[in-house]
Amino acid sequence: MFEPENYFENHEFLEILNKYEQAVKSGQAIYMDVDDLADIADYYFRQERYAERNEVVDRIIAQEPNSIVALTYRIQDALDAGDTTLAREYLDCFVDQDVPEYLYAKAEILIAENNVEAADELFRSEFRNMPPEEVQDYVLDVANIYIDNGLNEKALEWMMRARHENTDDFKELMARALFGVGKYKESEHIFDELLDKHPFQKRYWNALASAQFMREDFSASVTSSEYAIAIDPQDPDSILSKANGLFQLNNIEEALAYYERYSELVPDDEYGFLHQGTCLVSLGRSQEAIERLRHAEQIAPADSAELLEIYQELAFAYADQNMPESALFYLDKTDDLDCDHIDMQVVRGHILLSCQRQEEAEKAFRKAIKDSACAPRTIMRVIVSLYDNRLTESAYQMFQMFFKIVDEDWNEGYAYMALCCWKLRKTDEFMAYLKNACIKNPREAKSVLAQLFPEDLDVADYYKYMTEKLKNT
């Protein structure tokens, strides 16, 4: 159940924790109530001291294998392993099925079985019969379960049933729910409030950094990550958060250093090595990139969500080494993944083009466009590939035709066309497309055209700045 954070600052709990830790330190036998041990396990979990938490759980199970607490942990372990059959076997071991833990475990099994509506009906049925004095805790428990399972719309729906509380735990739960549904600014505001009160709470700084990152305020995200690192220099989440922010700010060398630091702390996570490879590809150090990416491939589980990007980055790195067969080998490996295979056709064309295999590239591009039913986004990606492969005139001509067939509200590609015009010295057309790009898609304009402008210049001022610059040249 959802335990208030301030409980762990309670004198009574701290005495229990101290008693436990002293016994562990001295090697004494530990005889404690399983509920107290469960609180200690929860405390360690919140402190991200996972090894110590698991040790406590083992003690609980050894002490009372069929206690409510032990069964709850066994069910959670079974669900983490994807074994809902075993989880149900443990659920059947509950002697008292009227306890909240039974209801919550049953609902989590239903969620794991992709039967979310059945779980929600179970929650609603209990809610209808809930004594008023128990409603608040129950609603927060349900919201927390949904958040832990990535069902953020459901979590927010249940938070709306709760009475607003001016407590840290209520605020954090609300902030997490808001973050989950994409309300990053609102989530950021709440974490700011929490940090005003708890400036040394690493968890809040990391959550704030995540909200800022999702809002694409990468500088602020890096700063928040730095506060978290100052609190705990060995915290992998803080280090990874800073690495991701630095990468988005195009500070590739420093991002690489932080990804390496992350991998030293979490050597079995393919994510760190993947992004080391991505940085090295960006820096033109493709041979080193291949080594890191191959390592990422070796340690990645068969169902890793990172495999697609690992294979794609390996393809780019091998193409950069002028090894097209190796590049295509890794692209072929994406055929068995659940991914956008049309997108992979475009990547194939791009790599073939970069390796001077133009006929094969054209075939791949045509297939991608055909398979997508001439989707504008696919066509645009093909044109951008032409530009990236220095076929600027061809890209320019295709963009001219492209903008005649897309709807008036289409807002992508104008910045790329502006760049084509700039390279081809078509100044009047450049200015027209620049203006369009800044109005229709400021984000794309910043990403594509930033090289032409001072780093701290706002996109809204690009057109004015360039007008003055061209006037004075």
Side-chain angles (χ1 to χ4, degrees), residues 13 58 72 107 110 119 132 153 178 184 188 191 213 220 252 278 293-294 297 346 352 362 371 440 458 462:
F13 170 75
D58 289 341
T72 299
L110 287 167
E153 294 283 355
L178 289 167
Y184 306 121
E188 180 181 343
F191 282 117
F213 185 92
I252 307 300
T278 303
L293 291 165
R294 289 291 302 275
E297 180 190 15
V346 176
L352 287 164
E362 289 176 4
D371 289 350
K440 288 177 174 283
D458 191 274
Y462 276 12

Side-chain angles (χ1 to χ4, degrees), residues 211-385:
Q212 291 164 332
F213 185 92
M214 296 305 294
R215 281 204 313 108
E216 300 182 7
D217 189 351
F218 302 122
S219 293
S221 178
V222 167
T223 300
S224 295
S225 299
E226 288 171 342
Y227 279 109
I229 292 169
I231 295 166
D232 181 359
Q234 300 303 309
D235 179 50
D237 292 338
S238 311
I239 290 166
L240 184 59
S241 179
K242 183 173 180 179
N244 289 336
L246 288 167
F247 186 83
Q248 291 297 326
L249 290 169
N250 207 35
N251 193 340
I252 307 300
E253 289 277 10
E254 194 176 357
L256 173 61
Y258 275 87
Y259 284 126
E260 289 173 336
R261 189 168 157 187
Y262 172 77
S263 292
E264 288 172 6
L265 294 167
V266 193
D268 58 347
D269 185 357
E270 67 273 19
Y271 186 93
F273 292 99
L274 159 62
H275 287 278
Q276 289 176 46
T278 303
C279 288
L280 289 164
V281 169
S282 296
L283 293 168
R285 294 157 60 183
S286 53
Q287 186 55 55
E288 293 173 76
I290 289 168
E291 294 169 9
R292 311 289 173 91
L293 291 165
R294 289 291 302 275
H295 184 70
E297 180 190 15
Q298 289 166 8
I299 65 174
D303 60 350
S304 170
E306 312 303 336
L307 280 175
L308 175 64
E309 197 169 351
I310 291 171
Y311 294 154
Q312 185 170 302
E313 289 298 324
L314 273 165
F316 286 134
Y318 276 116
D320 194 55
Q321 287 283 302
N322 198 28
M323 299 172 67
E325 296 309 321
S326 295
L328 295 175
F329 168 79
Y330 276 101
L331 281 185
D332 288 342
K333 295 187 79 166
T334 68
D335 290 345
D336 297 325
L337 299 180
D338 182 15
C339 65
D340 186 340
H341 296 290
I342 293 172
D343 188 43
M344 288 300 100
Q345 275 296 322
V346 176
V347 174
R348 180 180 295 273
H350 179 87
I351 285 174
L352 287 164
L353 202 56
S354 71
C355 294
Q356 311 303 314
R357 291 164 63 165
Q358 190 159 342
E359 286 186 15
E360 293 171 84
E362 289 176 4
K363 183 178 177 181
F365 287 147
R366 283 197 300 270
K367 178 172 172 49
I369 292 170
K370 180 182 177 182
D371 289 350
S372 73
C374 297
R377 191 159 281 107
T378 301
I379 297 172
M380 194 193 81
R381 292 195 69 242
V382 169
I383 302 172
V384 171
S385 177

Side-chain angles (χ1 to χ4, degrees), residues 50 61 79 135 198 203 210 215 225 242 274 296 303 327 340 372 404 424 470:
Y50 301 121
I61 292 173
L79 292 178
V135 165
H198 303 284
R203 187 174 73 255
S210 294
R215 281 204 313 108
S225 299
K242 183 173 180 179
L274 159 62
D303 60 350
D340 186 340
S372 73
K404 291 177 182 177
L424 295 171
L470 293 174

Side-chain angles (χ1 to χ4, degrees), residues 423-435:
K423 292 288 180 69
L424 295 171
R425 301 182 183 277
K426 298 178 182 292
T427 305
D428 291 342
E429 288 182 71
F430 164 72
M431 291 301 291
Y433 282 109
L434 171 64
K435 187 174 186 179

